[in-house]
Amino acid sequence: MEEFEKPPVSMEEDTEMEKSDAVENPKASQKSSSDSESSDSEEEADQNEQLLALEYELSTNPSNYDAHVQYIKLLRRSAEIEKLREARENMNTLFPLSPEMWMEWAKDEASLSNDSNFESVEKLYERGISEYLSIPLWCEYLNYVQEHDPKVRDCLADGISKARNLFERAVTAAALHVSQGSQIWAAYIQYEQAILLTIDQSDIQAKEKQVQRIRSIFHRYLSIPLASLKSTLLAYKAWEVEQGNSLDAEPGDALGISSHVASAYQKAEEMYNARAHHEEQITRQDISESERFQHYMSYLDFEKSFGDPARVQILYERAITDFPVSNDLWLHYTHYLDKTLKVGNVVKDVYSRATRNCPWVGELWVRYLLCLERGLACEKEISAAFEKSLKCTFSTLEEYLDLFLTRVDGLRRRISSASGDGVLNYSMIRESFQQAADYLSPHMKNTDGLLHLHAYWARLELKLGNDLIAARSVWESLLKICGSMLEAWKSYIAMEIELHHINEARAIYKRCYSKRFSGTGSEAEFTENIVAREGKGEGRNMLLAFILSNEIIQDICHSWLRFEREFGTLEDLNHAVQKVTPRLEELQLFKLQQESKSFTGATDQREQTLKNTSRERRKSGSSAIDEQPPAKWQKYTSQNKKLHKKENTQGLNLAEANDGEEKEGKVEKKVNEKQMKDTKNTTSRLYKDQCTAFVSNLNITAKDEDLHQFFSDVGGVTAIRILHDKFTGKSRGLAYVDFKDDEHLAAAVAKNKQMFLGKKLSVARSNPKQGKRESLAHTAPGEEASNQSGGHGRSVSKESGEDSKGSRGRKRIENIQLKGKNTFAVPRNVKPLGWTNKPGTRDEEDEKPKSNDEFRKMFMKT
């Protein structure tokens, strides 16, 4: 601003200084002038280059806000007046200007023109104060009018009236501003005091009237909670003293003013003290923008609790000035005005500003159109707002759809109520629908939003347009785009049924049934496609699409049959049954096959899990046994050495230890056999006690309550589990029903093939495949012991193999046949020389070990 205003004046001052310097020192002046010329030329060249770059940027991207601001700053610096005006106008057509930019613009224009151009500058101030609340801008506007409006400046009657009206507007708009509102009041009082000085002293009546006007303004001023209340009170008391008036204060009144003024002042002071903390928070400079925003919202909640709309509105305006592009703030502000004021130019003005500051928010445009309709705006104004909204870019397609529907809603209401000022007709609704369909159809295929749009369109074609052919053409156009949506076909059929056009509805059913939906077809075709695309990773997606589309076909078939039962003849019903029955059977067969595959896959997975668990157990058992042989090797080796070195009594102790281990092994074998037998009995009892019915061919709409009601005559139902597809979440038509005993289960199975929700229900006793699970549960104890031994059982000899199978859990493994070079243990069936297997099983002479002399004698005899 200062850079633009000062150049003419500063250029004259610089010229005078240059002349004086040239007289005193011509050589220095020549040198300095040449240096300044070179620097100015370089700066000018750089500035021109920046201007060209910004002009190119704005030509390609007019919505670049920062580029507009930089371009205006450079033009002000270069003093290109016409380009500067054009740049400001171009920016203001797209964006609201800040209060600072409006002040710069108004001052620039005022400095370039005389009083004859007063109205154009005044219009700039009016445009500025209409966009944001700014106390400095209001003060500049008031000062400009007092200085440059001839009527106001000369204190003519028309001028005084105009100035007072302007001050009252300022008071209404900004005087409640807690921190800066006193500037407006001070300017108002100052202006009225200046008028007082112009009144002739002899005109006592006029002078007294003016004094009373000033006193009234002071009283209003003191009744408002502002930051400068105390200084205002002092100024008022001083002014009253100047007028030679006593303040009519009551005895003991500390304020020294009249009671009614003191009461209002004290109330205002209390209100200010209650708001002082909030004012301090929103004006702090050491906090972030997000924190300041939260403080504003808390302050607004505080003001709303007192229920004063004027104070709430002024605070919203202050927040908007600080956060002009906060869509949440604009939405809160407009919602509050809709709730409190509802109609009026104030609300319309706020919505207009909101859509200029946040044009990307579709909800603001929708509510703006509703505000215009509530305010009984003309069609031209509403249409202009709607067309402007279509040029904006919203984040979602649903916002565009909501905007089109709001436009149609308004046209429908005004046409129906005959309040359309004579220019409305149904063709405008049709054009709006067509515009919406052309814009949204390529982006919203197979969506509920597009279906809703066309259903609304077709209904209005019938109700308001009275054109059945047009309504059918609307549905036909939708089916070309969303032909795979079952709801689109159903809605079309519902319209024909509502109009009692049964044959037309039947024809649509036949078209719908014969249509090949994406993913449908025979199982053979499906399998062929799966095999062809399996390598591309598309098989799973094809399976899901195939199942979903076939469910659509199934729904169409049942809907057709229901239609023929309710509206058709017996021949029509038979024809429909003949058409749809083969297809329903094929779909049911395919569904059962898929469920069987799914069940088999789940069973295989569980069995694989069991195998992996068993394998891990075997590995852990094998490693545990593999760690034992070194210790056993040391044990048996030491025992063999003792057989040859120690006395015979030590051999006897070894035999007794072997006998003890054999007894211990037999006990453990019996315990293990008992445990396996208990496990087998428990498993058998588990399957035997399971009283579950498997229900198939179930209607996909059936719920748990429906099945419970179906089996209510049987009784004994303990649990119901309906199977759902884990991808689509829809019912698979299968269920498991648990009963508390076999008697109730048998009664439930007897209800097989009974009708349930329009379908024959299949009820059978649940007999899940046990397969390998049974074999695992009934494995012989010896086999399990062999598996847990980590593979050592493979080295059992043929003679003692059966005995080794019964030795599960023993600390030592009996009857091991030793093979290979390393011998680490003494075989159990090889006895030390001179020892018997068990006492009492041989001759008495062999019961005791032989001494060396006895052995020598025996050999000598031989």
Side-chain angles (χ1 to χ4, degrees):
M1 174 59 231
E2 295 178 356
E3 294 178 357
F4 187 84
E5 287 182 339
K6 290 183 178 180
V9 179
S10 62
M11 286 173 62
E12 294 177 359
E13 294 177 353
D14 290 343
T15 304
E16 296 296 332
M17 293 176 62
E18 287 174 1
K19 288 181 179 180
S20 62
D21 291 340
V23 173
E24 295 177 0
N25 191 355
K27 292 184 179 180
S29 63
Q30 291 177 0
K31 183 177 180 180
S32 61
S33 62
S34 61
D35 293 340
S36 62
E37 288 177 0
S38 61
S39 61
D40 290 343
S41 61
E42 291 177 359
E43 184 179 355
E44 184 178 356
D46 182 57
Q47 185 171 293
N48 291 333
E49 185 178 351
Q50 293 181 23
L51 286 172
L52 291 175
L54 288 171
E55 288 175 356
Y56 176 76
E57 171 63 22
L58 293 174
S59 63
T60 56
N61 185 15
S63 300
N64 190 335
Y65 183 89
D66 294 332
H68 279 285
V69 174
Q70 294 298 325
Y71 186 51
I72 290 173
K73 287 183 178 180
L74 288 176
L75 289 176
R76 291 187 72 243
R77 194 176 301 169
S78 62
E80 297 188 25
I81 307 303
E82 295 301 327
K83 281 189 175 182
L84 180 59
R85 286 197 187 103
E86 184 181 359
R88 282 167 166 162
E89 291 290 351
N90 291 337
M91 182 178 180
N92 192 232
T93 56
L94 298 174
F95 308 102
L97 303 184
S98 65
E100 293 77 13
M101 296 183 72
W102 282 113
M103 282 191 289
E104 289 177 353
W105 192 355
K107 287 184 178 181
D108 290 348
E109 294 293 341
S111 64
L112 296 173
S113 60
N114 50 28
D115 292 344
S116 61
N117 198 29
F118 167 78
E119 293 183 357
S120 62
V121 179
E122 187 179 27
K123 289 180 180 179
L124 289 177
Y125 277 116
E126 287 289 340
R127 290 167 63 183
I129 62 175
S130 67
E131 292 194 336
Y132 297 111
L133 172 63
S134 173
I135 302 299
L137 184 59
W138 267 107
C139 291
E140 289 286 344
Y141 184 20
L142 293 169
N143 292 334
Y144 177 77
V145 171
Q146 294 178 68
E147 294 176 5
H148 295 84
D149 190 334
K151 295 182 180 180
V152 177
R153 184 177 55 201
D154 298 338
C155 292
L156 299 179
D158 293 342
I160 293 174
S161 177
K162 176 181 178 180
R164 284 173 177 167
N165 290 335
L166 185 61
F167 272 112
E168 287 297 330
R169 285 178 57 199
V171 166
T172 303
L176 295 179
H177 195 299
V178 176
S179 61
Q180 299 179 7
S182 57
Q183 299 178 31
I184 302 295
W185 289 108
Y188 197 1
I189 292 174
Q190 185 179 2
Y191 174 73
E192 293 295 345
Q193 288 176 341
I195 294 176
L196 179 62
L197 297 176
T198 63
I199 299 176
D200 190 359
Q201 295 292 334
S202 60
D203 193 352
I204 299 176
Q205 184 177 1
K207 188 175 181 179
E208 183 62 29
K209 183 178 180 181
Q210 183 62 23
V211 169
Q212 186 60 35
R213 185 186 297 275
I214 296 174
R215 182 178 292 113
S216 175
I217 296 174
F218 264 119
H219 290 176
R220 291 168 62 191
Y221 188 4
L222 291 171
S223 65
I224 297 176
L226 300 175
S228 59
L229 272 176
K230 293 183 180 180
S231 60
T232 304
L233 178 61
L234 295 176
Y236 170 61
K237 294 166 69 175
W239 178 80
E240 287 286 3
V241 171
E242 289 178 1
Q243 305 305 314
N245 299 325
S246 62
L247 297 175
D248 193 20
E250 296 180 357
D253 190 351
L255 296 177
I257 55 178
S258 59
S259 59
H260 71 280
V261 178
S263 175
Y265 174 83
Q266 290 174 350
K267 182 178 180 181
E269 190 174 29
E270 291 176 359
M271 293 176 65
Y272 172 74
N273 292 334
R275 290 160 176 78
H277 173 70
H278 292 288
E279 289 290 333
E280 180 183 357
Q281 293 295 328
I282 64 175
T283 55
R284 289 176 56 185
Q285 301 299 323
D286 58 341
I287 59 176
S288 63
E289 293 300 313
S290 60
E291 290 176 325
R292 191 187 311 279
F293 182 82
Q294 292 301 323
H295 289 316
Y296 263 116
M297 300 308 293
S298 300
Y299 196 178
L300 284 166
D301 291 338
F302 174 79
E303 286 291 0
K304 290 177 183 178
S305 65
F306 290 94
D308 188 349
R311 301 200 62 82
V312 175
Q313 186 179 356
I314 199 72
L315 186 55
Y316 264 122
E317 290 293 344
R318 293 175 62 185
I320 289 298
T321 304
D322 288 346
F323 301 96
V325 293
S326 173
N327 56 334
D328 290 335
L329 188 57
W330 282 109
L331 287 170
H332 281 89
Y333 187 15
T334 53
H335 178 72
Y336 175 78
L337 293 179
D338 285 338
K339 185 173 63 175
T340 54
L341 301 181
K342 295 185 180 180
V343 294
N345 292 329
V346 174
V347 183
K348 183 174 70 172
D349 174 68
V350 172
Y351 269 114
S352 177
R353 293 161 52 210
T355 53
R356 279 177 56 78
N357 283 272
C358 300
W360 59 87
V361 183
E363 184 179 354
L364 285 175
W365 286 104
V366 169
R367 287 159 61 173
Y368 184 23
L369 294 178
L370 294 175
C371 172
L372 292 175
E373 185 180 355
R374 281 195 298 267
L376 302 179
C378 63
E379 170 59 23
K380 183 178 180 181
E381 186 177 3
I382 298 176
S383 177
F386 176 69
E387 293 298 331
K388 189 182 298 184
S389 67
L390 295 181
K391 298 178 182 178
C392 301
T393 303
F394 302 141
S395 58
T396 62
L397 290 171
E398 285 71 17
E399 290 180 282
Y400 287 100
L401 176 62
D402 195 15
L403 188 64
F404 279 112
L405 293 176
T406 303
R407 170 63 171 163
V408 172
D409 293 341
L411 290 172
R412 176 189 59 79
R413 284 189 289 264
R414 287 183 290 154
I415 291 175
S416 300
S417 61
S419 60
D421 56 23
V423 298
L424 297 179
N425 53 66
Y426 181 74
S427 63
M428 300 177 67
I429 293 180
R430 183 178 291 134
E431 290 175 1
S432 298
F433 272 124
Q434 189 62 55
Q435 187 179 11
D438 294 341
Y439 186 83
L440 298 175
S441 295
H443 311 287
M444 298 184 67
K445 291 182 178 180
N446 300 322
T447 60
D448 293 336
L450 195 61
L451 172 60
H452 173 61
L453 176 71
H454 284 77
Y456 190 14
W457 186 1
R459 185 168 66 253
L460 292 188
E461 289 286 357
L462 286 174
K463 302 298 182 181
L464 295 181
N466 298 319
D467 192 342
L468 176 60
I469 297 177
R472 287 173 175 168
S473 65
V474 169
W475 285 115
E476 293 294 338
S477 63
L478 176 64
L479 293 180
K480 292 179 181 179
I481 303 170
C482 305
S484 59
M485 282 189 68
L486 178 59
E487 290 301 322
W489 291 92
K490 285 185 174 181
S491 299
Y492 189 7
I493 293 170
M495 184 195 76
E496 296 290 355
I497 294 176
E498 184 179 357
L499 297 174
H500 304 288
H501 297 161
I502 305 303
N503 293 331
E504 288 76 4
R506 181 177 294 109
I508 300 172
Y509 265 120
K510 293 180 179 179
R511 287 172 54 195
C512 180
Y513 174 78
S514 61
K515 179 178 176 59
R516 290 182 61 87
F517 290 87
S518 176
T520 58
S522 64
E523 184 184 1
E525 295 175 353
F526 164 73
T527 305
E528 182 180 355
N529 291 331
I530 287 291
V531 173
R533 301 192 182 188
E534 185 175 4
K536 301 180 181 179
E538 301 176 2
R540 184 180 183 83
N541 294 334
M542 282 193 60
L543 175 61
L544 295 178
F546 183 80
I547 294 175
L548 181 60
S549 299
N550 282 333
E551 288 179 354
I552 294 175
I553 292 295
Q554 186 175 3
D555 196 353
I556 293 171
C557 294
H558 290 301
S559 179
W560 187 6
L561 292 176
R562 187 164 52 251
F563 166 78
E564 295 296 355
R565 284 198 304 269
E566 296 176 0
F567 299 99
T569 63
L570 182 60
E571 295 180 356
D572 296 329
L573 178 60
N574 293 336
H575 175 72
V577 170
Q578 292 176 1
K579 292 284 289 184
V580 304
T581 299
R583 187 58 173 152
L584 289 175
E585 292 176 351
E586 181 183 358
L587 294 177
Q588 185 65 22
L589 177 61
F590 174 76
K591 183 181 293 186
L592 293 175
Q593 291 174 347
Q594 292 300 316
E595 291 168 355
S596 176
K597 292 178 182 178
S598 301
F599 180 78
T600 303
T603 304
D604 294 341
Q605 185 177 2
R606 288 194 296 270
E607 291 176 354
Q608 185 64 32
T609 303
L610 292 174
K611 287 182 179 180
N612 295 337
T613 305
S614 300
R615 188 179 297 110
E616 292 176 359
R617 289 178 179 175
R618 287 197 298 271
K619 287 182 179 180
S620 60
S622 175
S623 60
I625 293 177
D626 290 342
E627 293 174 357
Q628 292 179 2
K632 291 185 178 183
W633 181 83
Q634 295 177 0
K635 178 178 178 181
Y636 286 119
T637 303
S638 63
Q639 288 179 354
N640 287 332
K641 290 181 180 179
K642 291 178 181 178
L643 288 174
H644 298 286
K645 295 181 180 180
K646 300 238 179 142
E647 294 181 356
N648 296 332
T649 55
Q650 294 175 335
L652 180 61
N653 293 334
L654 178 62
E656 291 176 354
N658 290 338
D659 294 339
E661 289 183 358
E662 288 180 358
K663 294 179 180 180
E664 180 182 358
K666 291 181 180 180
V667 172
E668 291 183 358
K669 178 178 179 181
K670 292 180 180 180
V671 172
N672 292 332
E673 289 178 350
K674 184 177 184 303
Q675 290 178 349
M676 294 304 298
K677 184 176 181 181
D678 293 341
T679 302
K680 178 178 178 182
N681 294 335
T682 301
T683 305
S684 301
R685 193 185 312 111
L686 177 64
Y687 287 110
K688 183 177 180 181
D689 293 343
Q690 184 179 7
C691 300
T692 303
F694 176 67
V695 181
S696 59
N697 198 29
L698 186 65
N699 194 308
I700 60 175
T701 62
K703 306 296 182 184
D704 291 357
E705 297 78 7
D706 300 329
L707 276 177
H708 199 284
Q709 181 67 25
F710 179 74
F711 289 110
S712 60
D713 57 340
V714 174
V717 177
T718 60
I720 296 176
R721 302 181 298 282
I722 297 178
L723 305 185
H724 295 82
D725 189 276
K726 64 180 180 180
F727 299 106
T728 62
K730 293 185 177 181
S731 172
R732 296 169 55 186
L734 303 173
Y736 288 99
V737 183
D738 296 338
F739 296 89
K740 62 182 181 181
D741 52 34
D742 192 69
E743 181 179 355
H744 288 88
L745 175 61
V749 173
K751 294 175 68 73
N752 186 31
K753 300 302 180 180
Q754 291 188 14
M755 294 300 296
F756 175 66
L757 297 181
K759 301 181 68 174
K760 284 187 178 181
L761 208 61
S762 177
V763 184
R765 182 185 296 272
S766 176
N767 186 20
K769 296 182 179 180
Q770 298 178 2
K772 296 181 180 181
R773 289 182 294 173
E774 290 185 357
S775 62
L776 289 173
H778 298 82
T779 301
E783 296 177 359
E784 188 171 350
S786 177
N787 292 336
Q788 292 185 359
S789 66
H792 289 286
R794 287 190 293 269
S795 62
V796 177
S797 63
K798 295 180 181 180
E799 294 84 356
S800 59
E802 295 298 324
D803 293 335
S804 65
K805 292 181 181 180
S807 60
R808 179 187 179 187
R810 295 184 182 181
K811 296 181 180 179
R812 298 179 60 187
I813 302 176
E814 299 179 357
N815 301 330
I816 298 178
Q817 181 179 0
L818 301 178
K819 296 182 180 181
K821 297 180 180 181
N822 297 324
T823 302
F824 60 88
V826 178
R828 181 60 55 88
N829 57 352
V830 178
K831 308 302 181 193
L833 188 62
W835 292 80
T836 60
N837 188 16
K838 290 183 180 180
T841 59
R842 294 177 179 266
D843 297 334
E844 292 295 332
E845 59 184 14
D846 295 330
E847 288 179 2
K848 296 182 179 180
K850 303 288 191 297
S851 64
N852 291 337
D853 293 337
E854 291 175 338
F855 272 113
R856 190 178 297 109
K857 292 178 181 180
M858 289 173 62
F859 285 119
M860 291 178 65
K861 290 180 180 180
T862 57

